[in-house]
Amino acid sequence: TAPSNGHQSSLENFSVRRTESIDAPEIMKLIERSTEKCFGKINVVNIIEKAVLSITLTSSTGDVLGFGAFYDYPNGKNYDPKNWERELIPKFELEGVTPLNTLFLHYFVAKRPYQHDIAQEIIRTVYNACIYVHNIFLLSNSAHLGSALLENFMRIKNGSKEDRLFLCQRHAHVPQLHIREARPEDSDDLTPLFTKENSVLTQTYGDYFLAELIEAQDENHKALVAEVGGLAIGFMCVSTEVDVDLLNKCFELKPYNFLHHVVKDTDEDTSIATDSLADPGDLGDPELEDLQREDTLDAAPPSLAAASSVKGSLLAEEVASSKGEVSVAESIRSVSIPPSHVSEVEETEESLKLQEEKEEELPVAEEKEEPLILGEAAAFCIQLFCMDDRYEMRSVDFMAEAFKRFPDKDYCVVTIPHTISEFPLLQVFARCTPKPTSTLEQELYVFHRSALLQSINVRFGTTEDVQGISYVTRKVKGKSTVLADYEQYLKSLRDDDGTPLYGIVAECAGQIVGVAIIRAEMDTEYLRSHYNLEDFIYYTQHSPREHGHLYHCAVAATFSNYTKFFLRECLRLCEMSCFYYNMYDESETQLKPQSTIEALQHLVQIRPRRQIKYPVELLKGKQPATYNNVPVEDVLKTLPPFALFHINRKLTLEPKMIINSRIVVVGASDVSLSFLESLILCPHIHFNNLVLVSPEGLPATSPSSLPSSLCYSPEYMKKISLATSCNIVNAKMTSINRSEQYVGVDNGTKVQYDYLVLCTGSQLALSLSAAEDTKLQISTPVQRNVSAVANITDYTPPEQVITLDTVSKAEGVTKWAKTHEGPIAVYGSTLTAYTTIEALLEAGISNIVNIQPPTLVSCFNNNQVKLIVEEAMEAQGVEIRRDLTLSSFKTDEGKLAGVVFAPEKGELVTVPCSALITVQDKAIDQDTFEGINNSCLVFDGRLVIDTNCHTNDPIIYAAGPLTKYKRSLYCDDWTHDIYCSKEIGERLAAIMLPIFDPSFPPPQDVEEYELPKHTRSKKVYAKLPGGYHYLNVSKPAPLIELQTAMLDPAYGRELVTGDKETGYFRLHFNQYHTVETITCLSKTELEIDNLCQLYGLHQEYLNSLEKRFDSNLIPDFFSYFREPWCLLLFHDRFTELREEIKELLSQPNQPGQESLSQRVCQLVDEDLAIEEKTEQALFEAYDQSLAKRAIENRLFSYLSYNKYHLPHYAGRNMA
């Protein structure tokens, strides 16, 4: 931050951060009598929750030293928050005061004797964080503000004794920078800024490159500096030489009139809002946009806009590539675009036809517009930019002076490499969407001259605004719905069902530049119970009427940098504190139609919550019971699934970190989805360039013919809406070019990357024993056949043979089978084989033969389950033939006549059939293998990685069943496919996130030769023959036959109830009496989400289950776990409660004493059998400890806070 005016702070080793609700107790300790006189008695938690900006200053030890809360309206009761500017400004004759440039101090406390320094640090932080704020007001009915505030605030006259207004202005703390034209002598101050983190320019052109550049200024090239105290602390070089045509080929620039002046707009006169939300189906004027992809460009076109902050790359590649003896100025002006920046894919007739078909499918604009008649180019570019770190938040001060140098230009453009994160200057720019045909190595940002106008007026809409709203929303998908809802607002201020409706517009220079239509949110309890709202708000501090639903929001593209301010003003005018937006899948019917909003990147996405499956009938109670313990309707009701986005008052002034790095993920496996989910749901980071390459896109269905890993159900996929934040490429990877950093796909296009993540997994594959024998014969130590090692076959089977290697094949397998007359053979003993047979049986296909190859361990690893299922198969007419290995096929006139199998002993066996479904062996996809192998990534049966998922390429990561750990770890059996895929994906995200945000905590450190620890269970669910529902939850570990595992003395014990009629339920407890395996088989539907939560729980959590079972008190586990007492175990926050209880137990009664958990751990480590006397002593110690009371308080608080989910538990006053 910039130093204050001559004030030397006496504070040392402090930090300034945004306030969190957990700071409230420490803040309350700082409150003095004088504080209450100045601000009155307030609820600290509430003021933190409702402030648009709250700042906490802490010491090096984490102690809170000071706190300030800032609002966007006065704290006096005499002023209406939504109309304060109409009352306060005339009363005190304030000039130039607007909601955009004003904040109000509602509360301030500081620790003595540092009040003066703390006040200045907090005020300085506010002015640095809020670039548009110039005034901070304090309204108080007390003249005794305290010397710390009086030193920074001056009183405004015309106030009564009960209404005293004080003002603190920006220029006294973080003044606007003085911007002037650069002079050659400025290079002495500026050169160290350039060389601080990047010395490319100095090394290339010498120590005086900057002076030469400044001296070379002319009417098309200008150099500006920012000056503080006579020193140049910032530099910007701007130029009118911009290749606008090239930018139009690479980016969607229609919202900015293609960066040209508009000679004539045939629709209506040109206005400052001659832009709108870009229509994705409109590719622009064909005269300006040549969609034919060229192999080369001109060697040296006019300069493309390029800039970098002092922290970034200073055009190293471009500058270094300049040839010949030319001046520094000419070198920087001739920045060219290498040919590789434009896609080299030839445009065939087929691809052109496909492009035309896609364009026809895109939404058509509701109103047809005639093309604009464009004049000269209207853009200049920033060629070079650097700024002292201490003043970088004032970078925006350059813009007004830059536009003064080119009065005939309307746009300023700048490009930065993908790998450079957005620096503060770009916060006022708008990012342009790249076109699919462009592989430009840079991001383009645009700033319109009208964005300099800081006179944005946000107000309630009137009938006179209809025409302006129609123009601003002319390209919005669902414009008719926007206008209809606005007419409804004008008509009655309420929706048809009586819900309050608000129509708000943003106005600049008398023209409408934005519109929002908000509806009161009536489903807040549903949102709270189904989404993790409380990750972002303290729910109880927000009244029901303070929640609103954002149905429509459109802001002119030239004013997009004011979008957050517009949303903040909407909250103030509606007297709300939270907005929500629901993103529905295209297949879902919306309860009330809404438009797609461009402001989505400013909102945070909220993670869905896992729901309890309630035994509603048991909770109701039997007649004549008068109680009803069923949760309220808002918790139990079912709505169409949607992704929930949110913004609140605190978030309107909290910028996100923008990451432009191109992260390409290959494969739509569970690991990939988990990785993408972790990135997208990171609230303080927004990724602009996430790409998923998958032949079938995102999984939208869950075929019954395939088992489920229970990681990503179709409903959950709709609740996270990955497609909203991730670009989907429906293609298969065929190659990797590591030198040029792109992935080739099967449709011929190239997908460029900065980071590549390979998570393709393994797929079911056809494996013939005869073919494998041939491969192994040619695989010698001298010339190794890698394809044989990878278990990949090039054999093309008859058309009547299908392998369920894709979801689409699995979905259509029953329809495919019905087209064949005669027996249908299913080859495999995997779980997929059983689910496929069940799908065929449900489709009415009865002539089925199941051929099972010999296996050491069955897919169930439970003889009783296998016996029950196969008895059901035989009862339904399925023939089972065991211990046969697929060898070859018999065909008759090209059609399958039979399948040849090799038994373990004896001659070959032929099984006649009309079709064969193979679901036995898994392997790496052929194209994936070739792409990996040809790119020289280390492949040893699987792609080799280290413990941090790195391949031998530092920017290529991999995870999942595709991979294996390097051999030096000696862990061939411990591959990723034995772990929970979701946990693997989350760890991969935790490994990569610190690359983009160094403050992000890295995953748990792992020693060089130590495997990372994964603790979540491996789950699988399947619908099996006989109508059985099968669930297995187990500890991740290499597969060992159950009977062998049970011989281990440390195995523990198993508890089993039921049979094939009543339902089979098996629990395995390890030696520590913790649930390690759950196996369920039942003809009735299972409460899957509930039962999975039993994993990892001690038997005491299960109501002393072992003792009850041994006493014959539990005849059936299914009914036992449907009883209301155990619903707490199934709550999604119960794991957090357990962790908090562990922490409380680890705290000693007094410092230096041994805690209870330490005493127990010592006994366990010594492997001593705890005697009854010792156990009794531990119980007595617990009864006398402080932990007991703390745990009881925490439990009651937990039940009280989550009562909407758990209403049947007794509260503190009832216990």
Side-chain angles (χ1 to χ4, degrees), residues 129-424:
C130 308
I131 59 176
Y132 295 119
V133 172
H134 292 268
N135 309 297
I136 298 176
F137 287 100
L138 169 58
L139 193 66
S140 176
N141 57 9
S142 172
H144 304 286
L145 296 185
S147 58
L149 293 178
L150 285 175
E151 184 182 79
N152 296 283
F153 286 81
M154 65 177 183
R155 184 174 176 183
I156 306 296
K157 296 181 179 180
N158 299 331
S160 63
K161 292 183 178 180
E162 295 78 19
D163 213 9
R164 296 179 176 88
L165 185 66
F166 300 84
L167 171 63
C168 173
Q169 293 185 304
R170 169 182 286 277
H171 64 76
H173 297 272
V174 186
Q176 284 186 272
L177 300 178
H178 171 57
I179 310 297
R180 58 170 174 80
E181 198 163 290
R183 297 188 291 264
E185 55 266 28
D186 293 324
S187 61
D188 294 338
D189 297 332
L190 295 172
T191 300
L193 296 181
F194 281 94
T195 58
K196 181 179 178 182
E197 296 186 24
N198 195 312
S199 58
V200 172
L201 290 176
T202 304
Q203 293 173 358
T204 306
Y205 301 109
D207 295 334
Y208 303 103
F209 77 95
L210 205 52
E212 294 179 25
L213 181 63
I214 294 172
E215 288 178 342
Q217 295 182 74
D218 55 34
E219 60 181 10
N220 294 322
H221 303 85
K222 299 293 181 182
L224 304 173
V225 297
E227 185 180 71
V228 172
L231 294 177
I233 51 85
F235 177 80
M236 178 181 286
C237 180
V238 290
S239 171
T240 58
E241 293 186 1
V242 183
D243 192 340
V244 174
D245 292 337
L246 179 59
L247 293 179
N248 274 287
K249 287 182 180 181
C250 298
F251 297 93
E252 298 286 358
L253 293 176
K254 185 175 182 182
Y256 307 97
N257 295 330
F258 309 103
L259 301 182
H260 283 71
H261 288 295
V262 178
V263 176
K264 180 183 178 182
D265 188 338
T266 55
D267 276 350
E268 54 186 270
D269 293 337
T270 305
S271 71
I272 62 174
T274 55
D275 52 85
S276 70
L277 303 178
D279 180 4
D282 195 333
L283 295 177
D285 193 319
E287 293 181 3
L288 291 174
E289 188 175 311
D290 181 9
L291 288 180
Q292 182 177 0
R293 302 165 189 166
E294 302 173 343
D295 287 338
T296 60
L297 296 172
D298 293 338
S303 171
L304 177 73
S308 173
S309 70
V310 70
K311 296 181 180 180
S313 164
L314 294 175
L315 306 175
E317 295 180 0
E318 291 86 350
V319 175
S321 65
S322 300
K323 297 181 179 180
E325 295 295 330
V326 295
S327 67
V328 177
E330 290 299 321
S331 298
I332 293 183
R333 291 173 191 172
S334 62
V335 177
S336 62
I337 305 299
S340 63
H341 289 176
V342 178
S343 177
E344 300 175 0
V345 181
E346 296 182 0
E347 198 76 83
T348 62
E349 292 183 5
E350 183 178 353
S351 62
L352 285 171
K353 182 178 180 182
L354 181 62
Q355 179 70 19
E356 291 173 0
E357 291 175 356
K358 289 183 178 179
E359 291 182 16
E360 290 175 1
E361 295 173 0
L362 292 171
V364 181
E366 298 179 15
E367 295 180 10
K368 185 177 180 180
E369 290 188 27
E370 297 182 18
L372 301 174
I373 300 177
L374 304 178
E376 295 181 354
F380 68 92
C381 69
I382 300 176
Q383 287 185 320
L384 204 58
F385 172 75
C386 75
M387 197 74 179
D388 191 314
D389 291 346
R390 295 174 298 168
Y391 302 92
E392 61 181 358
M393 295 306 298
R394 296 309 310 166
S395 302
V396 67
D397 295 338
F398 274 103
M399 299 310 301
E401 290 298 321
F403 275 98
K404 284 181 182 179
R405 298 302 184 273
F406 304 116
D408 60 329
K409 303 298 182 183
D410 291 336
Y411 301 94
C412 176
V413 297
V414 58
T415 63
I416 62 171
H418 292 290
T419 52
I420 301 298
S421 299
E422 284 192 3
F423 41 91

Side-chain angles (χ1 to χ4, degrees), residues 1068-1111:
H1068 164 221
F1069 289 88
N1070 62 19
Q1071 58 181 329
Y1072 303 111
H1073 307 282
T1074 298
V1075 177
E1076 202 164 270
T1077 308
I1078 306 165
T1079 304
C1080 303
L1081 187 70
S1082 174
K1083 290 188 176 182
T1084 58
E1085 287 195 14
L1086 304 174
E1087 295 83 5
I1088 295 174
D1089 287 340
N1090 288 3
L1091 296 176
C1092 289
Q1093 306 316 308
L1094 300 177
Y1095 176 83
L1097 294 182
H1098 192 274
Q1099 66 93 19
E1100 290 293 342
Y1101 276 115
L1102 307 181
N1103 211 359
S1104 301
L1105 184 140
E1106 290 186 354
K1107 294 180 181 179
R1108 290 174 179 270
F1109 183 84
D1110 293 338
S1111 301

